[in-house]
């Protein structure tokens, strides 16, 4: 009767509304019924696939990709998890559907870190967006506007590295401790200012010694620890990340009580914990990979040194030299491509029901982007060979579109906010060390270029011999 009333009363707007709603329901149902169920391997009940992934899940994921395609699902404990693989699929999803995957899953371990309120381990909402905006702008400003500070710190660290390396008198040694200390010291001084010395910190030295998990490097952004630095804050002199964060707190008028989107002053100061937690280990391991590769490939090393001789000579290397050193940049990119230190990034979580390659991924599903599979995708030639030349065009210049295809820092909403700092750091360390040292593989040693999979993907222990360079 009601429908007839609509016609008889001439209420065509309501009629159209009902018709369109019906069409939307039918089309959505049709789409859902046509959506394929996500393929994936069989796993044990409850524990799922945890025990089947083995020591190096990257190998297992490669096998699953060959069998099931770019999108497949596994069960990680109680969490249904979708793994997204391959250059085209990962890049497309992260660039076109980034918001749909921009949350972190509410794992107990993540919840225990400040109840999902840190920058790295948080839900995706307005609060996160401002937190993130502040966190990224501080790194960017430091690496660009205050790049002199960054260069000075790294120059001191290079002096220590070169001293340690040449002190070995050309005998084989493992560079691990020296590299970990130098990169740890850099991130520490980025956070707290030049001169702060991580080498005096017993917890940090223990961490390096034991390969244990990096829970805390004493100061983890706990605002009470930062008090002495906050007391000497001068808006005209940005000494370190704490000062830059403080300037943002003032700009966004943040206080002890949550603002209208739930952000507090302490949440912002806590970003120091994100920097030291997420910023140290990957950079350290990336530099260890670089030393290994230049020792294994002397011709690549020689080309970097030729570039240094031609463009820099004996003067100190600066961040702006990056622009005129395409071969050095290409070597860093190649190393990130083949041995991306964060091969699975951090887990994401679907923020709504969303389609990828015709498969519906349900809201709340854990999603892992496999960056390692991007680096070893068939779109690159010789995916397991070290060939920095692939990033250069016929004029020897860097090929932009190729660079954009390296997703070691991820892409989209959760892209690593430290990428700009890390890329400068790796460049300054590599170019400065190779300016002063020649790195060689010891005669009796064979290198294994397959890494160890842990929170980062890092090289197995190796030795190098170092000769001083004079030119
Ligand atoms: C070679 C060095 C580095 C690599 C390869 C790397 C890679 C990554 C990757 C893959 C992610 C996860 C992205 C995702 O969830 O999709 C990430 C997140 C993050 N990285 Fe880095 N990173 C490096 C250095 C740094 C540095 C130097 C800093 C800071 C100073 C930093 C700070 C962070 C933070 C705070 C996050 C969490 C971002 C968020 O959840 O919004 N990283 N990084």
């Amino acid at each position: 009767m009601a429908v007839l009333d609509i016609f008889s009363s001439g209420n065509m707007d309501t009629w159209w509304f009902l018709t369109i709603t019906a069409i939307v329901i039918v089309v959505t149902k049709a789409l859902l019924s046509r959506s394929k169920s996500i393929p994936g391997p069989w796993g044990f009940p409850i524990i799922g696939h945890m025990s089947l992934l083995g020591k190096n899940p990257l190998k297992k994921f490669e096998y699953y990709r060959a069998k099931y395609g770019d999108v497949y699902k596994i069960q990680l404990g109680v969490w249904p998890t979708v793994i997204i693989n391959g250059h085209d699929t990962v890049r497309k999803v992260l660039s076109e559907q980034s918001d749909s995957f921009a949350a972190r899953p509410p794992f107990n371990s993540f919840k225990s870190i400040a109840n999902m309120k840190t920058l790295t381990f948080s839900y995706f909402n307005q609060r996160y967006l401002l937190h993130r905006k502040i966190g990224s702008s501080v790194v960017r400003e430091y690496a660009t506007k205050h790049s002199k500070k960054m260069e000075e710190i790294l120059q001191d660290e290079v002096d220590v590295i070169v001293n340690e390396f040449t002190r070995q008198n050309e005998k084989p040694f493992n560079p691990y401790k020296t590299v970990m200390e130098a990169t740890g010291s850099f991130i520490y001084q980025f956070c707290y200012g030049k001169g702060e010395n991580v080498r005096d910190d017993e917890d940090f030295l223990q961490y390096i010694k034991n390969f244990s998990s990096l829970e805390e490097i004493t100061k983890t952004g706990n605002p009470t620890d930062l008090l002495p630095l906050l007391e000497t804050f001068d808006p005209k002199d940005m000494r370190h990340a704490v000062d830059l964060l403080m300037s943002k707190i003032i700009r966004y008028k943040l206080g002890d009580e949550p603002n209208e989107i739930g952000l507090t002053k302490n949440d912002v100061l806590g970003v120091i914990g994100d920097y030291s937690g997420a910023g140290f280990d990957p950079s350290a391991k990336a530099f260890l990979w670089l030393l290994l590769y230049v020792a294994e490939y002397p011709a690549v090393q020689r080309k970097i040194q030729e570039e240094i001789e031609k463009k820099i000579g004996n003067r100190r290397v600066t961040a702006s030299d990056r622009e005129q050193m395409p071969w050095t940049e290409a070597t860093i990119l190649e190393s990130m491509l083949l041995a991306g230190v964060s091969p699975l990034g951090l887990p994401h979580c679907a923020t709504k029901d969303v389609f990828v390659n015709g498969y519906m991924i349900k809201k709340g599903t854990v999603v892992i982007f496999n960056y390692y599979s991007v680096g070893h995708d068939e779109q690159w030639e010789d995916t397991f060979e070290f060939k920095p030349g692939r990033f250069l065009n016929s004029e020897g210049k860097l090929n932009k579109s190729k660079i954009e295809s390296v997703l070691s820092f991820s892409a989209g909403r959760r892209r690593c906010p430290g990428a700009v700092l890390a890329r400068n750091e790796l460049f300054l360390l590599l170019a400065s060390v190779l300016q002063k040292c020649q790195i060689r593989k010891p005669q009796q040693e064979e290198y294994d270029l397959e890494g160890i999979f842990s929170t980062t993907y890092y090289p197995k222990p190796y030795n190098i011999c170092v000769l001083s360079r004079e030119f």
Side-chain angles (χ1 to χ4, degrees):
M1 249 349 244
V3 175
L4 286 179
D5 286 347
I6 290 166
F7 284 113
S8 57
S9 66
N11 190 343
M12 289 306 279
D13 284 352
T14 317
W15 186 88
W16 274 113
F17 172 75
L18 288 175
T19 310
I20 288 167
T21 311
I23 292 171
V24 169
I25 291 170
V26 170
V27 171
T28 312
K29 272 197 163 174
L31 274 175
L32 288 179
S33 65
R34 275 176 48 210
S35 83
K36 309 166 273 181
S37 72
I38 307 174
W42 174 90
F44 292 117
I46 306 178
I47 56 166
H49 297 89
M50 300 262 232
S51 59
L52 302 176
L53 294 178
K55 264 194 184 164
N56 187 349
L58 303 177
K59 289 262 163 249
K60 205 66 182 197
F61 286 170
E62 214 168 278
Y63 167 77
Y64 289 154
R65 184 184 175 202
K67 193 158 176 196
Y68 302 107
D70 278 358
V71 181
Y72 55 82
K73 71 167 186 261
I74 60 171
Q75 185 76 20
L76 285 182
V78 295
W79 297 94
T81 302
V82 170
I83 315 289
I84 298 187
N85 302 268
H87 171 268
D88 292 354
T89 308
V90 171
R91 193 165 166 192
K92 189 164 186 294
V93 171
L94 286 176
S95 55
E96 293 172 14
Q97 295 168 289
S98 181
D99 283 12
S100 311
F101 296 101
R104 299 281 181 223
F107 291 159
N108 282 338
S109 53
F110 291 1
K111 277 191 187 161
S112 70
I113 308 173
N115 201 17
M116 303 284 294
K117 286 197 165 164
T118 61
L119 170 58
T120 312
F121 303 109
S122 62
Y123 300 109
F124 179 59
N125 48 28
Q126 289 303 318
R127 181 187 172 282
Y128 165 74
L129 287 175
L130 181 58
H131 210 179
R132 158 95 194 188
K133 187 174 172 186
I134 292 174
S136 336
S137 62
V138 164
V139 184
R140 201 175 41 251
E141 280 172 33
Y142 185 84
T144 51
K145 273 201 225 163
H146 306 281
S147 63
K148 282 275 158 290
K149 289 197 168 70
M150 169 187 73
E151 284 165 3
E152 276 170 25
I153 295 170
L154 283 167
Q155 279 158 5
D156 288 354
E157 293 307 326
V158 166
D159 290 346
V160 178
I161 296 177
V162 171
N163 273 340
E164 285 292 315
F165 279 11
T166 49
R167 198 165 70 79
Q168 311 294 331
N169 283 327
E170 303 179 16
K171 293 206 186 73
F173 68 96
N174 183 341
Y176 180 85
K177 184 170 173 284
T178 307
V179 168
M180 295 300 277
E181 284 184 10
T183 45
S185 176
F186 168 64
I187 206 78
Y188 210 71
Q189 295 179 71
F190 155 69
C191 290
Y192 308 112
K194 190 163 185 306
E196 286 282 323
N197 200 345
V198 80
R199 292 176 183 85
D200 296 336
D201 185 331
E202 269 309 311
D203 288 351
F204 178 76
L205 297 178
Q206 273 304 322
Y207 160 67
I208 295 177
K209 206 165 150 197
N210 300 336
F211 289 83
S212 60
S213 79
L214 181 70
E215 297 286 22
E216 301 210 344
I217 310 178
T218 59
K219 300 173 184 173
T220 52
N222 182 338
T224 340
D225 292 331
L226 302 179
L227 216 57
L229 295 179
L230 298 179
E231 278 165 10
T232 52
F233 173 74
D234 171 2
K236 286 191 217 82
D237 178 22
M238 294 292 113
R239 300 161 297 177
H240 38 56
V242 174
D243 277 351
L244 286 159
L245 288 171
M246 200 55 212
S247 71
K248 306 289 170 196
I249 287 168
I250 294 167
R251 174 162 174 211
Y252 290 100
K253 300 187 175 69
L254 295 168
D256 294 336
E257 292 304 314
N259 73 353
E260 62 287 359
I261 53 170
L263 200 65
T264 66
K265 174 181 169 184
N266 280 356
D267 292 338
V268 169
L269 290 174
V271 172
I272 286 293
D274 293 87
Y275 294 152
S276 52
F280 157 59
D281 213 29
S283 306
K285 303 296 170 46
F287 191 54
L288 280 169
W289 277 114
L290 274 167
L291 289 177
L292 177 67
Y293 279 128
V294 294
E296 177 71 359
Y297 298 98
V300 170
Q301 181 176 170
R302 185 69 215 125
K303 281 192 160 192
I304 296 177
Q305 282 158 341
E306 277 167 16
E307 209 167 56
I308 296 169
E309 282 161 27
K310 222 158 108 192
K311 308 278 174 52
I312 299 177
N314 282 325
R315 72 162 166 81
R316 287 283 195 182
V317 183
T318 65
S320 56
D321 288 324
R322 274 180 66 189
E323 282 164 28
Q324 44 160 3
M325 309 267 290
W327 183 262
T328 311
E329 281 284 276
T331 305
I332 296 170
L333 287 162
E334 180 70 354
S335 170
M336 304 291 293
L337 185 76
L338 294 197
V341 287
S342 191
L344 303 177
L346 291 165
H348 291 231
C349 182
T351 55
K352 57 181 184 187
D353 292 354
V354 52
F355 282 91
V356 173
N357 289 3
Y359 298 115
M360 212 260 278
I361 300 176
K362 280 198 165 305
K363 178 177 176 177
T365 307
V366 176
V367 175
I368 290 177
F369 291 95
N370 184 351
Y371 305 115
Y372 184 83
S373 74
V374 174
H376 299 274
D377 192 281
E378 40 308 329
Q379 75 127 1
W380 306 98
E381 267 174 42
D382 304 325
T383 54
F384 286 88
E385 279 178 41
F386 195 76
K387 288 184 159 181
R390 72 174 93 228
F391 288 100
L392 302 177
N393 62 21
S394 52
E395 292 157 27
K397 296 206 171 111
L398 283 168
N399 182 328
K400 262 208 172 146
S401 75
K402 290 252 168 85
I403 298 176
E404 280 160 13
S405 291
V406 181
L407 297 176
S408 321
F409 291 103
S410 181
R413 290 282 192 198
R414 289 274 178 179
R415 180 175 195 268
C416 173
V420 54
L421 189 68
R423 298 244 350 238
N424 277 333
E425 178 186 2
L426 291 175
F427 172 81
L428 285 162
L429 288 178
L430 183 68
S432 310
V433 168
L434 291 186
Q435 185 183 40
K436 300 193 167 86
C437 302
Q438 193 177 341
I439 316 281
R440 284 201 187 146
K441 178 159 93 168
Q443 268 183 356
Q444 307 302 327
E445 191 155 334
E446 277 301 313
Y447 288 157
D448 179 353
L449 297 177
E450 196 174 292
I452 297 175
F453 181 86
S454 175
T455 42
T456 45
Y457 186 63
Y458 58 95
K460 298 188 175 113
Y462 64 89
N463 294 308
I464 50 174
C465 297
V466 172
L467 284 71
S468 272
R469 284 186 81 231
E470 303 286 343
F471 66 92

